[in-house]
Amino acid sequence: MGNRNGDLEVVDAVVVGSGFGAAVAAQRLAEAGKQVVVMERGRRYGPGDFARTPAQMGRNFWDPSEKLYGLFDAWSFRGTEGLVSSGLGGGSLIYANVLLRKDEHWFVHDSPLPGGGYEHWPFSRADLDPHYDVVERMLGATPYPYQDTPKTNAVERAAVAIGMPAVRPPLAVTFARPGEAPAPGLELPAAGYGTVHAGSRRLTCTLCGECDIGCNAGAKNTLDHTYLASAAHHGADLRTLHEVRAIRPLGEGGGYLVKYVVHEPGAKGLEDTRTRSLPERSIVARRVVLGAGTFGTTFLLLRSRASLPGLGPALGTRFCGNGDLLTLLMDCTLDGEHLPVDGGTGPVITTAVRRPDALDGDGWTGRGFYVEDAGFPGFLGWLVETAQLRSAARRAAAFAWQVVRNRVLAHGRSNISADLSTLLGDGRLSAGSLPLLGMGRDIPDGTMSLHEGRLAVDWTTATSRAYFDEMRATMERLSDALGASFKDNPLWWAKRVITVHPLGGVPIGRHVGEGVCDAYGEVRGHPGLHVVDGSAMPGPVGANPSLTIAAMADRAATRMLEQDWSRPTATSIAAPARARASVVPGATSVAFTERMTGPFTLDQTDPQRGAEIARSLRDHLTFVLTITATDIEAFVADPLHRAEATGWVESNVLGGRLDVERGWFHLFVHPRGTPGRRMLYRLWLRDTAGSPLTLLGAKDVEDDQGLDVWADTTTLFVRVVAGHLPPPEAATHAQALAVLADLDDGLGPTAPDKTLGAGVLVIKPWDLAKQLTTFRTQGDAGPAALAQFGRLFLGELWDVYVADRLAGRRGGVRVGTREGR
Ligand SMILES: Cc1cc2nc3c(=O)[nH]c(=O)nc-3n(C[C@H](O)[C@H](O)[C@H](O)COP(=O)(O)OP(=O)(O)OC[C@H]3O[C@@H](n4cnc5c(N)ncnc54)[C@H](O)[C@@H]3O)c2cc1C
Ligand code: SF4
């Protein structure tokens, strides 16, 4: 697959993730003859591969740092819990197969949001209908065919009783062999495009009710059995356990550098399995199609923000949980007798009760929603059950504590897969109950951001309260109609909801202020970067969202295929030229090389805070600079002690090694009104996108009591800001000195929107020892020039640490040349 450019693999498209958006896009592009690589972080699961024993289920979560490489990826945020999937086929592996179209009137336009702005869908149902048709055909959508399933009949009866008749929504499940009547457990013929699970066989639906924990019969028409198999048939390369970490645009030739890691579950001797600790690899693609889901894609773009300057202010906005609310009907009865609803028979969802919206007319008010049966042993049922069973109380308490600790104490962790793994233990089913899952048009006013390097979601039920109250009331009426005892989900008391339909974060919109992407999912300012998953939604779908995500991806793929696909050129991948120190004719130069390294991370402005956070994230920055005083006489005489800096900077969060295009170094300047000195660094860099960056660094040399000369001269506080900040201009040396010395805290202007990151670098003793061997001179003065430099350096230190003390004062040291000392 792919061509090579130097050491780099070059392909037409990298598709990130393999869920509804990604799989559809991958298939369409591969079918059109494009070279496609699909990178999916999770494993491949064929029929029979899904966990079933309590021990397997207990480890069936995604958290590589805990050596968990399983199917469920659970998150806990302020106001909401989220559950998504990790595996080839994404959410289709654990979803409940419902394929409903978004209601025609729910494609709202200019619907105001409480915090400002609008929910606006820039296309209509009619625009999507042809794409809905295609996806439904590919996924084999068909209504549930059996008439004797207890839970289906129970909900249908209850729905009639409350005046909202239920429908049987199309399900992506195979119930019958071609041309035959539905019958459970019959072997299915192979699809024309083959399979990605060699040696496996698929059966018609056995009605086992296990759709949410993976269909071991292969009856679910999941994406691996359909779109991804077809993509592979057309040459797409499906790579599992490949997790994408960053995206960097290339230069003028276009295209993107995609950085990824490969997980190796069970690899011997691999102690540190955290994603950020694994070696990073790269691939180049003309187009990158992001389908990593609402959490995955938004997280990836927030982390890549430094090198994707086109990402607008809408990044992280419009989050919502598609109005999800889970409740439980316990002990259903009919005429006072026990009613066996038998939640374990039939696919997880078989019916849908639709409550219209004010937008539909007909006199309804408020926001519309759907209520569906959610059979056992769906994963959500396990959660509910865990809260009910005494035997699970201890684990539940520990889990609740973890959630509270994360939320109330802002303990920093948002991924709770490992905690859930502990909580579930050997969980068993409770009987005689039927969960209900509601979803609809909640308010998409949540925000997603990075908090100490982790994904944070700020969304609560507050603004959607009326919507949730109405849905809950409808569920209670269904419960009454079934003679059942109505239970809220265990987190509802804390005004929290569990969503299995997270949406938004990278919304489409009419302009850069409203949407990161245009109406086709292409990221504004970054041609060839596309978003095709739930994160692109500008608001709730209302109905179950997968079909809409897939239809939008199909529409986006059609648009992509109409665009220019010329490959990135070699020149676009080449690094920018390095700066060389200038030569002053007749002068003697002095040069030395220093290496400094330390913790550095993005989204921080305070170097010390940045360093603290970077340590936990293992984010870092290193530079190797050759400092050249091109004319030692002028250098010594100049009160600014200016020298040139050349070399490179390397940081995992800035996209790797970046050459210094131009650099300034000041050995010692004297901040006004303080006794100390400052060494200043200013380096012009360019990230892999070609966007200008400036690294500003300051070492403070100040006698603040104690023998800290080592720490002072080896500790550099750094910030990286967007753009090439010019050195301050000033008419005279004295003015320049004042400007330089007084710049903020030595690091220069730091408007928060310009600062990309901050940290603290040090020289390790070994590097200092090496630095001492790097001093070189060129020119007639030779060793005398070195001596001049040494006298200047040591003279200033003498002033700061010794002379002031001898004179009984701690301030006001004269700044000037050191001649005569
Ligand atoms: C229990 C349950 C039941 C559901 N039932 C229904 C239903 O009946 N009908 C319906 O319409 N919807 C249902 N859903 C929701 C549905 O699954 C999601 O809306 C849908 O899967 C979202 O599709 P997506 O393309 O946005 O991303 P996903 O399907 O979530 O796919 C994202 C993929 O990207 C991968 N990934 C993430 N980050 C990276 C990375 N950095 N590098 C590489 N890969 C990455 C993930 O592992 C995942 O495979 C259900 C969900 C759950 C949890
Ligand atoms: S009920 Fe669900 S899990 Fe069971 S065979 Fe049918 S589709 Fe598969």
Side-chain angles (χ1 to χ4, degrees), residues 411-433:
H411 214 261
R413 287 181 55 209
S414 46
N415 188 301
I416 55 164
S417 295
D419 305 317
L420 274 173
S421 169
T422 310
L423 162 70
L424 280 178
D426 64 351
R428 289 159 294 157
L429 302 180
S430 56
S433 56

Side-chain angles (χ1 to χ4, degrees), residues 412-728:
R413 287 181 55 209
S414 46
N415 188 301
I416 55 164
S417 295
D419 305 317
L420 274 173
S421 169
T422 310
L423 162 70
L424 280 178
D426 64 351
R428 289 159 294 157
L429 302 180
S430 56
S433 56
L434 182 67
L436 292 181
L437 179 59
M439 70 207 74
R441 287 211 318 118
D442 61 354
I443 312 264
D445 58 352
T447 55
M448 304 173 84
S449 58
L450 286 185
H451 181 65
E452 305 197 343
R454 297 179 174 89
L455 183 65
V457 175
D458 194 355
W459 183 87
T460 69
T461 53
T463 52
S464 302
R465 197 72 213 179
Y467 158 84
F468 281 114
D469 286 347
E470 181 62 31
M471 176 186 282
R472 201 172 158 279
T474 303
M475 290 170 157
E476 273 192 284
R477 289 170 64 207
L478 284 170
S479 176
D480 290 346
L482 282 172
S485 161
F486 179 79
K487 302 270 183 223
D488 287 309
N489 84 59
L491 297 172
W492 181 246
W493 60 267
K495 300 194 171 35
R496 300 173 65 73
V497 291
I498 304 167
T499 181
V500 295
H501 303 129
L503 299 173
V506 194
I508 55 178
R510 290 165 290 185
H511 50 79
V512 71
E514 185 174 85
V516 176
C517 311
D518 68 14
Y520 292 88
E522 190 160 9
V523 175
R524 289 199 162 81
H526 293 290
L529 181 60
H530 305 265
V531 179
V532 293
D533 55 27
S535 70
M537 301 292 136
V541 171
N544 317 57
S546 302
L547 181 64
T548 300
I549 294 169
M552 283 169 63
D554 192 66
R555 182 169 176 266
T558 302
R559 166 56 66 101
M560 280 179 228
L561 290 168
E562 292 162 0
Q563 295 173 326
D564 176 20
W565 278 79
S566 47
R567 297 270 171 79
T569 59
T571 48
S572 66
I573 302 168
R578 279 184 188 204
R580 287 174 188 278
S582 42
V583 176
V584 179
T588 299
S589 67
V590 173
F592 65 94
T593 299
E594 72 173 343
R595 178 181 191 277
M596 298 196 77
T597 188
F600 171 92
T601 195
L602 296 180
D603 294 323
Q604 297 297 319
T605 51
D606 174 37
Q608 269 166 327
R609 182 81 187 121
E612 262 171 47
I613 293 165
R615 274 190 203 100
S616 67
L617 298 175
R618 296 195 157 203
D619 289 344
H620 54 84
L621 186 145
T622 300
F623 68 50
V624 174
L625 297 179
T626 297
I627 306 292
T628 308
T630 50
D631 179 345
I632 190 65
E633 293 288 340
F635 175 80
V636 170
D638 176 3
L640 301 179
H641 305 310
R642 271 177 287 214
E644 293 177 17
T646 54
W648 49 263
V649 172
E650 183 166 34
S651 167
N652 62 324
V653 291
L654 293 177
R657 184 176 291 201
L658 312 175
D659 286 328
V660 173
E661 278 185 33
R662 217 174 147 193
W664 294 263
F665 169 78
H666 297 268
L667 183 57
F668 288 116
V669 292
H670 181 198
R672 266 193 301 220
T674 72
R677 303 286 190 279
R678 211 164 250 173
M679 295 189 211
L680 296 171
Y681 294 71
R682 178 180 299 254
L683 308 176
W684 281 2
L685 314 166
R686 220 169 261 281
D687 72 9
T688 44
S691 309
L693 306 174
T694 303
L695 182 148
L696 297 163
K699 287 180 196 169
D700 266 332
V701 180
E702 185 172 352
D703 183 14
D704 42 10
Q705 307 275 294
L707 195 59
D708 55 2
V709 59
W710 166 263
D712 286 345
T713 53
T714 58
T715 305
L716 183 70
F717 299 93
V718 296
R719 284 195 190 118
V720 172
V721 300
H724 278 168
L725 292 193

